[in-house]
Every structure is written in C-alpha cells, then in structure tokens.
Amino acid sequence: MRSSRTAHTARTARTAHTARTARTARTPVIAVVAAAAVCASLVTACSTRDDKPSSAAPPASRINPVDRADLKKGGVLDWPVAVIQENLNVRHLDGGHVDTRRIVESMLPVVMKSDARGRVTPDPDYLVSAASRTRAGRQRVTYRVNENARWTDGSPITYRDFRANWKAQNGRDPAFHPLSRTGYELISKVSAGPGGDREVIVDFARPFGEWRSLFTPLYPASVIGTATGFNAGFKGRARVTAGPFRFAGRDETAKTLTVVRDEKWWGDTPLLDRIVFRALDPAAHPGAFGNGEIDLFDVGTRAAAYRSAQDTPGAQILRAATPSHHQMTMNGQSRILKDVRVRRALARAVDRRRVARVALQGVDWNARPLGNHFFLPQQDGYRDNAGQVGTYDPAAARAALASAGWRREGAFRKKGGRTLELDYVSVSGEAEAQNEGRVIQAMLREVGVRLKLTFVPQNVLFERHVIPGNFDLAVFSWTKRPFPVSVSRSIYVKPKGKDIQLNFSRTGTSRIDALLDKAATETDRGRAVDVINRADRLIWQQAAAVPLYQEPGIVASKRTLANLGAQGFTSVVYQDIGFTG
C-alpha cells in the first residue's frame, strides 16, 4: 500500500502493502518506489529534455545515475514519507505500509535486488549465490551467505535467520501475525547445508516458482525468533540490523525517523552520513520541497504539485513508469453488479484512454490503457488480454444492458421498476480524483446508467466503503513488486465466505484459482508466464476489476541528488545515494 491514497486494507493498512487509494497513491514510493528526473539551470525554474513528456513509452527507471567516485562524501538526505508506522516489521500485519518497507530496507538485508524490468538476482553483499533445483517434483533452494554478512550485534547471518523468518510466516503457529504466508506455507524445512551455517537449504513440500520473493527483507532470528519478538520486537525501533545504515532514533514530535551510516557495514561505504525520513502529508510536499525542507517528493498526478516543482529553482523532474496501476473495481456482490453481463457492459462503456487523459492532463503524461492485471508493459511477460471487455464500445454496452433486462426509460434504464443507479466512491479533496469520477459518470450516463458520486476522506475510503463492501464502483491503485503471483494472487482468488483477502470485487472462479495455484508452483518462468496470462484473460471476462492505466512516475528532486528517483522496479541502492555538490 502506499501513502496519500493509500489503501488501508483490513486492519487498516495491514493486509496490503500493495493497495492504494484512488489518486495520491501516487505519492511517496512503493514497497519502496519513489521517483525523480532532470533539470537544467540551477538559478531559475528549469526543465530539460528529460523533463518533457514524450509520445514514446516512458523509461522503466530514471534515477539520475552518477558514479560513486563523482559524488561527495557525507551529507543528509531529507526524505518525505506519508507515515512512519510504530511497527517496523514489514512482515507483520501492523507494518505493511510501503513507506515502512522503504525505511527498513536501508537497514536490513534485501537479499534479492530487482532491475528496471523486474528481473531479480541475489545481492552479493548478502548472498554469494542462490539457486533452485527441482527433482522428482521436489524443489530445493540453496543460498550461500556472504562470509562478511553480520548483524549489528556481531552475530553472523546464517540459516538460523532464514529458518526463523520461515517459521514466523508459514501460518502454523497462530501466535505469529504475519502479513502474508505466500510461499512460506509451501516450505517443509530450512536447514544448514554441508557447507556449514552460512549455507542455507530450503526444501519445499510443493514447488514455488517465485521463490526469489522470499526472505526479503530478512529479519534477525535473535529478535523475531519468538512470537513476541516477531509481533513487537521492531516496535518503535530497529535494535538489530544489517545494512548500510542503522537505526539512530525517532522523534514523535517532529515525526521523523533517522538512520545513520553503519560503520560495521562490510559493503561499499554509504556516501550519506544519514537519512531523515519525515512524515508529511503529501499535500505539504511541494511547499516543503520549495522551501528546501525535503530533497525530493513524488509528484504523482497532481497538477499543482507538478507546476510547483517546475517553478522551484535547482529542481529536476525525473519521469519513468511505476510499478503501480490505476484500476476500476466493481463490487460483484452488490445487487445490480452480481450480473456479469452488467459488469461487462459497464466496462465497455468506459473509455479508458479518455479517463487517463483527463486524470493525467495536468502532468503532461501520455498514458495508454493497461491490458493486464499481473504484468506491466516494461515487464517480460506482459500481454494485452483486455479483449472486448476492455474495448470502448458504447453501442455494445447499450445492447448488453438491454439483453440483461435493463430497458431505457428516459435518461436512465430500469428493470422491474428499479432504476439502474450505482454508487461510485473515491477520495475527496483532490481535483484529479473528482475529475476522473465525473468523466466516468458522464460515460455511463451515455448508456443509461445513473452514477452517484461520493467523495470521502482517504482515511475512511477503505475502512468504511471498500473493505466492508459498501460501494458499487471504486477507483484506486495497486502497487506491484516483480512477483506477479505472490503479490496479486490474493486480489483475484475467489472469496471463501467472509474471507475475501484483498479481493475487493468479491468475484472469482475455481478455474482462475486453479490457474493461479499452478502458476505459483511452476518453476519454469516461460510456462508460468503462459499460465498467468491464461488466468488474466479469465479475470478480464469477469469484468469486475478493470485496469485503467499504469501510473506515472514523476518525482521532483534537487538537481544535485543522484542515484535515487523514479525507481520503477529498480531496487534502491542506499549506499550509492549521494549529492554532486
């Protein structure tokens, strides 16, 4: 989940670090995504070629790369976040916010790093190697830990840490309260290999194709080895870490959390002295940036913020695709939308290209309709599976509604004396969200559907409407990581009674579930991609979750800030962040 428009899932932001609310979910940075870009003159407001929108597809990442040797040693990075949660365990139900992940990944082992296309490989600072082998249907993953990798308490990182993370998240002990069990519940054993404690053997009871998603970030067994330690050991602080930075303190009055360079770090020496994460309302980011109080901020889709960034001397604006997409969700349990024919008609009545134009016009972003629920265009495996459901065709929508028994009577349709009226809910206080709602309202009016718009504060959008199902249509965002099934499966699997997981549309089929299960256990990536896309085509046919467009990654930062910006899927390398002067 994410800030400002952040989707606070069940137990508030606990279940989904991926869901975000309708528009500002484009603010701070996902499970660790930020964004940034380029400028010219340092004296007056400026923009360079990189700052100008293009009709071509956006780059997958833009972080103002500068060689470490050309950056100054020292300095402080003031990095705004939407919230600083009390619990810094991102694997716990109470620590699921993407900003929490961004903070802790500066201090804890990110054993797997992602590139701009979402390809994941071992981080050599932590792992010498990581390899999977499947024989006779049994999968074994072997990790070899870097001999220099140690926790701040002096103990080495070993198989014991991997085993403790597995036990805390496999769901077998109800005393632990993990955010997700995906992948961990398939592991049968974690043990030391013949190479000693630094060789980790992970045996799976059933194969898990996205095994690279596991154990990142890695938490120390000395803290999370017990249920009490897992649930509360990282509340308020991070006392045992193993990263380029370590926890220095938090100021509840100033709403800051500070990490400082860890002198015990064995990798490249961090260039910065410290990073100060500041909890600020996203609406305050442009002003704070203009005043020099913060060094970067996520512009997202906010036209006023974009103009403010353009007018800030010494600023650069970095543009790239993000791992987030905007999606229209229909409540398949609502009285009218239980009929899949109606849902398909509504999907065809919405011009997704026009919605994107209206929503993003203030930031000069050329968005295209998104054709996949699992992959984004910059990822290997992306296929446009939208088909007829995702094709704007108001005439076909009218015909479908008529065939479902909804006859036009004046401006709107009726059936059995009931008007075809639906409740649309989105966040208040944001012009972009309201414009988006109004254009969808106008499109549905054209086919005889009355749409009642309700705009509510973002802190109640999910808790009072989306999660309990008090809505017909809602538009919000999802943020992804490079693992399509691990991250998105719970959004589309069929609910079991009141257990909807993250499936806010409350629809699904056994066939979709079977394909997603098959994809999760498929260790051949090519075959897994094929299965995922087969499931995706069926989800399109359900017409309850309609992807609109991939969100823009537009980040304003100081022109002197390097190696941080519009990350896309690219992992942040915290030790390489620095300033040119």
Side-chain angles (χ1 to χ4, degrees):
M1 98 238 120
R2 190 133 128 191
S3 71
S4 166
R5 248 181 224 145
T6 301
H8 296 295
T9 60
R11 290 193 65 179
T12 315
R14 310 181 167 184
T15 23
H17 51 269
T18 49
R20 297 177 310 150
T21 70
R23 284 246 66 74
T24 37
R26 308 132 179 214
T27 347
V29 216
I30 112 148
V32 95
V33 164
V38 206
C39 180
S41 166
L42 286 174
V43 187
T44 59
C46 54
S47 69
T48 69
R49 289 170 297 176
D50 290 307
D51 181 33
K52 296 175 182 177
S54 169
S55 58
S61 182
R62 185 65 64 79
I63 61 173
N64 190 24
V66 178
D67 191 273
R68 286 173 52 90
D70 297 325
L71 296 174
K72 74 172 188 178
K73 306 293 191 297
V76 178
L77 174 65
D78 288 294
W79 194 340
V81 294
V83 64
I84 298 174
Q85 293 181 292
E86 180 187 8
N87 197 333
L88 298 179
N89 183 355
V90 300
R91 296 301 185 184
H92 190 273
L93 286 171
D94 293 330
H97 201 285
V98 292
D99 285 338
T100 305
R101 191 178 186 100
R102 180 195 306 163
I103 291 168
V104 303
E105 287 190 346
S106 69
M107 301 181 282
L108 288 170
V110 179
V111 299
M112 293 284 181
K113 296 275 188 177
S114 172
D115 68 8
R117 297 184 65 83
R119 294 171 295 204
V120 179
T121 54
D123 182 344
D125 283 326
Y126 297 106
L127 296 178
V128 175
S129 63
S132 173
R133 183 191 71 192
T134 302
R135 291 181 179 173
R138 295 287 182 174
Q139 182 184 16
R140 167 172 288 187
V141 176
T142 302
Y143 301 90
R144 289 183 172 81
V145 180
N146 185 324
E147 289 292 331
N148 296 317
R150 310 187 78 80
W151 300 104
T152 48
D153 63 4
S155 61
I157 296 176
T158 70
Y159 80 95
R160 296 179 183 86
D161 300 297
F162 286 76
R163 185 173 61 186
N165 280 258
W166 160 57
K167 288 186 174 181
Q169 297 176 79
N170 62 23
R172 298 175 192 175
D173 187 342
F176 291 86
H177 303 146
L179 180 72
S180 171
R181 301 188 302 272
T182 300
Y184 296 98
E185 82 277 23
L186 300 179
I187 296 173
S188 59
K189 184 174 64 172
V190 177
S191 56
D197 288 358
R198 298 273 196 171
E199 185 174 75
V200 186
I201 303 296
V202 178
D203 289 307
F204 288 81
R206 291 172 55 205
F208 182 53
E210 294 183 355
W211 59 271
R212 293 176 182 83
S213 67
L214 304 175
F215 304 112
T216 289
L218 188 72
Y219 281 83
S222 63
V223 178
I224 59 98
T226 64
T228 299
F230 180 80
N231 297 332
F234 273 79
K235 279 192 174 182
R237 61 185 180 134
R239 55 193 175 91
V240 180
T241 56
F245 292 87
R246 61 176 175 80
F247 180 81
R250 59 194 300 167
D251 186 327
E252 299 298 340
T253 302
K255 297 182 179 179
T256 61
L257 185 151
T258 301
V259 298
V260 297
R261 181 190 300 135
D262 188 349
E263 302 299 338
K264 297 180 181 178
W265 170 247
W266 56 93
D268 289 336
T269 301
L271 295 168
L272 297 171
D273 292 319
R274 63 183 182 275
I275 301 173
V276 180
F277 295 98
R278 300 183 181 277
L280 288 175
D281 187 305
H285 290 179
F289 181 70
N291 294 333
E293 298 170 27
I294 56 177
D295 295 311
L296 78 164
F297 76 96
D298 189 351
V299 173
T301 63
R302 296 169 294 163
Y306 181 64
R307 291 192 298 270
S308 176
Q310 288 181 311
D311 292 339
T312 300
Q316 61 180 352
I317 297 178
L318 301 173
R319 297 168 169 269
T322 68
S324 305
H325 78 273
H326 214 44
Q327 184 158 297
M328 181 173 73
T329 296
M330 303 186 209
N331 182 357
Q333 290 302 307
S334 76
R335 188 170 173 181
I336 295 174
L337 297 178
K338 284 183 178 180
D339 189 338
V340 68
R341 296 173 299 174
V342 175
R343 298 199 303 266
R344 288 173 185 162
L346 298 185
R348 302 200 72 176
V350 173
D351 184 348
R352 297 185 295 142
R353 190 176 298 275
R354 185 176 160 205
V355 171
R357 263 200 319 269
V358 168
L360 306 178
Q361 61 184 344
V363 294
D364 298 325
W365 188 272
N366 181 33
R368 298 172 174 83
L370 186 66
N372 202 294
H373 295 84
F374 297 92
F375 294 105
L376 294 171
Q378 69 267 35
Q379 289 181 280
D380 296 330
Y382 177 82
R383 307 284 185 273
D384 188 338
N385 297 318
Q388 288 187 343
V389 172
T391 301
Y392 177 55
D393 190 338
R398 293 186 192 99
L401 289 172
S403 69
W406 292 96
R407 305 296 179 181
R408 194 102 183 211
E409 296 184 20
F412 301 106
R413 296 178 181 274
K414 291 186 178 181
K415 181 179 181 181
R418 177 181 182 144
T419 300
L420 181 44
E421 179 178 276
L422 301 170
D423 290 324
Y424 175 101
V425 63
S426 185
V427 292
S428 58
E430 295 184 11
E432 293 86 359
Q434 293 178 20
N435 290 340
E436 188 172 72
R438 291 188 184 106
V439 76
I440 292 174
Q441 181 186 51
M443 291 172 185
L444 294 185
R445 180 187 292 270
E446 289 181 14
V447 299
V449 179
R450 175 185 285 164
L451 196 64
K452 178 185 175 184
L453 302 182
T454 301
F455 298 103
V456 299
Q458 60 176 348
N459 63 332
V460 302
L461 174 65
F462 275 77
E463 294 174 10
R464 297 185 187 176
H465 294 274
V466 176
I467 292 172
N470 297 326
F471 74 102
D472 291 311
L473 275 75
V475 176
F476 49 89
S477 301
W478 292 102
T479 294
K480 301 179 180 299
R481 292 175 61 218
F483 309 103
V485 177
S486 298
V487 171
S488 298
R489 181 184 182 279
S490 60
I491 303 173
Y492 304 112
V493 293
K494 187 169 63 174
K496 296 179 180 178
K498 294 183 179 180
D499 181 13
I500 66 169
Q501 297 189 62
L502 299 180
N503 188 347
F504 299 134
S505 74
R506 294 161 169 80
T507 62
T509 68
S510 298
R511 179 58 179 157
I512 291 172
D513 291 358
L515 286 171
L516 292 179
D517 289 344
K518 178 176 175 57
T521 58
E522 180 56 73
T523 56
D524 180 273
R525 192 179 187 282
R527 288 197 292 267
V529 165
D530 177 65
V531 175
I532 292 169
N533 277 298
R534 286 163 57 194
D536 185 56
R537 288 190 286 273
L538 295 180
I539 293 170
W540 271 105
Q541 290 304 307
Q542 286 291 300
V546 181
L548 297 173
Y549 53 86
Q550 183 177 14
E551 295 184 345
I554 303 176
V555 169
S557 76
K558 288 183 177 177
R559 191 167 186 255
T560 54
L561 179 62
N563 299 327
L564 181 66
Q567 301 294 137
F569 281 112
T570 304
S571 297
V572 176
V573 182
Y574 290 84
Q575 59 268 38
D576 288 353
I577 301 171
F579 294 93
T580 56

